[in-house]
Amino acid sequence: MTGHEQWMAMAIEEARLGAAGGEQPFGSVIVRDRAVICRTRSLKVSTSDTTAHSELLAVRTATQKLNQRVLDGCVFYATCEPCPMCLGAILNAGINHLVIGARKSQVQQFSKTAFRFNVYTVERFAEMVGWPLVVEQALQEQCIALYADAAVELTR
């Protein structure tokens, strides 16, 4: 298992734990120098907070844990391509390396209301704002399965 696969497996575990607790199956991990800074899952359902996406919670947790606003040198792992709100937080934190599991276009079929951002991709967003974002994928099939198997309605 490669490093990216190892960290993405942790994000998948977070997503599964969240789903088991009635949350939507989204997980995130932030890593710096091969050390996990934080692991988070979506908490939208339990908190009734539409902004409690795993990605936003990860950025908040990591910046507070490290006591720094900019997360230089970190790699962000997300089980699904981050929405524009979440990608904005990732970029505002100074992260320029993103590893995603599933693409929005690969999972939007599993929801009637989620992932409706037209032709949005993280690459297009980063290009639009002039951010040098490196995007890779890891454990794509396992991440797609999270959403295919989800019993909850995905509303992002």
Side-chain angles (χ1 to χ4, degrees), residues 30-32 59-60 62-63 66 68-76 86-98 129-134:
I30 297 179
V31 174
R32 181 191 278 165
V59 169
R60 180 181 299 134
T63 55
L66 297 173
Q68 57 186 89
R69 193 192 67 75
V70 177
L71 300 173
D72 288 331
C74 288
V75 180
F76 196 103
C86 292
L87 186 60
I90 292 165
L91 299 182
N92 275 319
I95 297 173
N96 65 5
H97 194 164
L98 173 64
V129 299
W131 191 259
L133 184 66
V134 174

Side-chain angles (χ1 to χ4, degrees), residues 20-154:
E23 294 290 345
Q24 296 175 334
F26 294 90
S28 299
V29 172
I30 297 179
V31 174
R32 181 191 278 165
D33 297 327
R34 301 195 50 80
V36 174
I37 305 302
C38 69
R39 310 166 48 140
T40 58
R41 64 190 73 129
S42 175
L43 296 176
K44 286 175 58 177
V45 176
S46 64
T47 62
S48 297
D49 180 355
T50 194
T51 68
H53 293 199
S54 66
E55 300 92 342
L56 281 181
L57 297 173
V59 169
R60 180 181 299 134
T61 301
T63 55
Q64 290 173 350
K65 181 178 180 178
L66 297 173
N67 196 32
Q68 57 186 89
R69 193 192 67 75
V70 177
L71 300 173
D72 288 331
C74 288
V75 180
F76 196 103
Y77 294 84
T79 56
C80 188
E81 185 170 15
C83 74
M85 174 181 69
C86 292
L87 186 60
I90 292 165
L91 299 182
N92 275 319
I95 297 173
N96 65 5
H97 194 164
L98 173 64
V99 181
I100 58 175
R103 288 283 182 172
K104 164 193 84 69
S105 61
Q106 296 171 314
V107 296
Q108 66 187 21
Q109 64 186 320
F110 305 120
S111 174
K112 294 178 184 168
T113 58
F115 313 109
R116 302 295 181 231
F117 299 115
N118 201 7
V119 295
Y120 167 84
T121 66
V122 292
E123 291 90 349
R124 285 184 178 145
F125 186 100
E127 182 181 347
M128 179 185 74
V129 299
W131 191 259
L133 184 66
V134 174
V135 180
E136 298 181 69
Q137 276 192 273
L139 302 182
Q140 178 180 1
E141 289 180 19
Q142 295 91 322
C143 289
I144 292 170
L146 285 170
Y147 308 103
D149 296 342
V152 297
E153 173 61 18
L154 299 173

